[in-house]
């Protein structure tokens, strides 16, 4: 979780150290490639916290790596480098522009590769969907399950969920959207479930699907929202 305003920290008493990230060539905490991307994006958005920029870079890089189905090995077990990010940034702070600029100036080669690769792969699979979205904002459990099924068959791509104005989304959410948010919190283990019947709760499950989430909100709208009651 990252935030722009030092005064706003609803989950921790201490103020985070905003000088921790320098984006220097000799920065020991970041790979050189990540440092270079962060520095390039920071030049476009010098007034946005470096920690926020880093989190956006990490989740977008995770989108690229997991779309290519790259995994890391941890004690003999392979995992996708999924990344879930929640950002608080004041209204007008450039949240959408930051992500859009990343796609336009850092990610265009990947986006072109993805679209070409998906089209070629779909042509070899009978019954494959005509549209495989690179990112989602609003969805349902059934919709996410259907997309996961397609991606499992294609063996390419990831589920990337980008939620703008999360606070307002929660504030105005209907029951179906609240269910979507609840399901969203359970996706980090790369498992997507679909309930088959309401009577016995029997479910079928798709596993090993990479999932990344980027959600951001104006802290004012977040702190003043009231969650709907059941």
């Amino acid at each position: 979780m990252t935030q722009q305003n030092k005064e706003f920290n609803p989950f921790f008493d201490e103020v985070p150290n905003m000088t921790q990230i320098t984006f220097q060539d000799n920065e020991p905490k970041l790979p050189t490639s990540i440092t270079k991307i962060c520095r390039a994006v920071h030049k476009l958005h010098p007034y946005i916290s470096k920690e926020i920029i880093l989190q956006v870079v990490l989740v977008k890089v995770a989108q690229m790596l997991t779309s290519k189905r790259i995994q890391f090995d941890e004690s003999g077990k392979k995992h996708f480098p999924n990344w879930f990010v929640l950002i608080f940034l004041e209204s007008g702070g450039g949240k959408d522009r930051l992500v859009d600029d990343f796609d336009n100036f850092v990610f265009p080669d990947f986006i072109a590769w993805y679209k070409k690769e998906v089209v070629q792969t779909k042509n070899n699979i009978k019954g494959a969907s005509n549209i495989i979205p690179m990112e989602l904002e609003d969805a349902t459990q059934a919709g996410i399950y259907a997309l996961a099924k397609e991606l499992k068959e294609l063996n390419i791509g990831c589920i990337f969920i980008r939620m703008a104005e999360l606070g307002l989304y929660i504030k105005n959410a209907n029951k179906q959207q609240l269910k979507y948010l609840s399901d969203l919190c359970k996706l980090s283990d790369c498992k997507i479930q679909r309930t088959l019947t309401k009577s016995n709760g029997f479910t079928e499950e798709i596993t090993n699907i990479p999932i990344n989430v980027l959600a951001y909100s104006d802290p004012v709208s977040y702190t003043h929202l009231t969650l709907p009651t059941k």
Side-chain angles (χ1 to χ4, degrees):
M1 182 179 300
T2 306
Q3 59 189 39
Q4 174 79 358
N5 187 345
K6 293 182 181 180
E7 300 300 323
F8 177 73
N9 198 331
F11 302 103
F12 303 99
D13 293 330
E14 69 276 10
V15 176
N17 180 5
M18 304 301 287
T19 63
Q20 185 176 10
I21 301 172
T22 63
F23 295 168
Q24 300 299 318
D25 289 329
N26 59 351
E27 171 59 62
K29 299 176 183 178
L30 300 174
T32 301
S33 57
I34 299 296
T35 300
K36 290 182 178 180
I37 295 173
C38 287
R39 189 187 299 118
V41 176
H42 182 56
K43 287 181 179 179
L44 296 173
H45 301 275
Y47 300 107
I48 294 182
S49 161
K50 291 179 179 179
E51 288 198 353
I52 286 180
I53 290 175
L54 175 62
Q55 291 301 322
V56 172
V57 169
L58 290 178
V59 75
K60 295 297 289 184
V61 169
Q63 179 189 16
M64 178 185 67
L65 294 176
T66 55
S67 290
K68 295 186 175 185
R69 300 301 171 91
I70 295 174
Q71 296 177 296
F72 66 93
D73 190 297
E74 183 181 33
S75 301
K77 295 182 179 180
K78 292 184 178 180
H79 305 276
F80 287 111
N82 295 334
W83 206 259
F84 280 48
V85 174
L86 174 58
I87 290 173
F88 294 109
L89 184 61
E90 64 270 11
S91 180
K95 299 181 288 292
D96 286 303
R97 189 167 63 251
L98 171 63
V99 183
D100 290 340
D101 283 350
F102 191 97
D103 285 341
N104 293 331
F105 298 110
V106 181
F107 244 36
D109 288 343
F110 163 71
I111 293 174
W113 170 88
Y114 177 86
K115 292 180 178 179
K116 179 180 178 181
E117 195 72 17
V118 166
V119 169
Q120 291 179 344
T121 305
K122 287 191 301 182
N123 290 338
N124 295 327
I125 298 178
K126 184 178 180 180
S129 173
N130 291 328
I131 301 176
I132 305 295
M134 288 194 67
E135 63 179 44
L136 304 172
E137 180 167 356
D138 196 3
T140 63
Q141 183 184 31
I144 293 177
Y145 182 91
L147 177 58
K149 190 173 182 179
E150 290 278 359
L151 294 175
K152 188 78 171 182
E153 183 75 13
L154 293 175
N155 196 31
I156 190 175
C158 74
I159 296 177
F160 187 86
I161 299 173
R162 172 183 173 183
M163 299 191 68
E165 303 301 340
L166 177 63
L168 292 177
Y169 184 94
I170 298 175
K171 182 177 180 179
N172 300 318
N174 56 35
K175 289 185 177 180
Q176 178 175 295
Q177 290 171 323
L178 286 176
K179 179 65 167 61
Y180 169 60
L181 290 172
S182 176
D183 295 334
L184 189 63
C185 296
K186 305 173 185 177
L187 296 181
S188 59
D189 59 359
C190 299
K191 296 179 182 178
I192 296 92
Q193 294 182 338
R194 181 180 68 171
T195 301
L196 297 181
T197 62
K198 294 183 179 179
S199 58
N200 58 15
F202 181 72
T203 61
E204 61 180 0
E205 185 177 80
I206 297 178
T207 60
N208 209 29
I209 290 293
I211 302 166
N212 302 282
V213 177
L214 171 60
Y216 41 89
S217 177
D218 176 357
V220 175
S221 66
Y222 186 84
T223 53
H224 286 81
L225 65 85
T226 300
L227 290 177
T229 58
K230 294 182 179 180

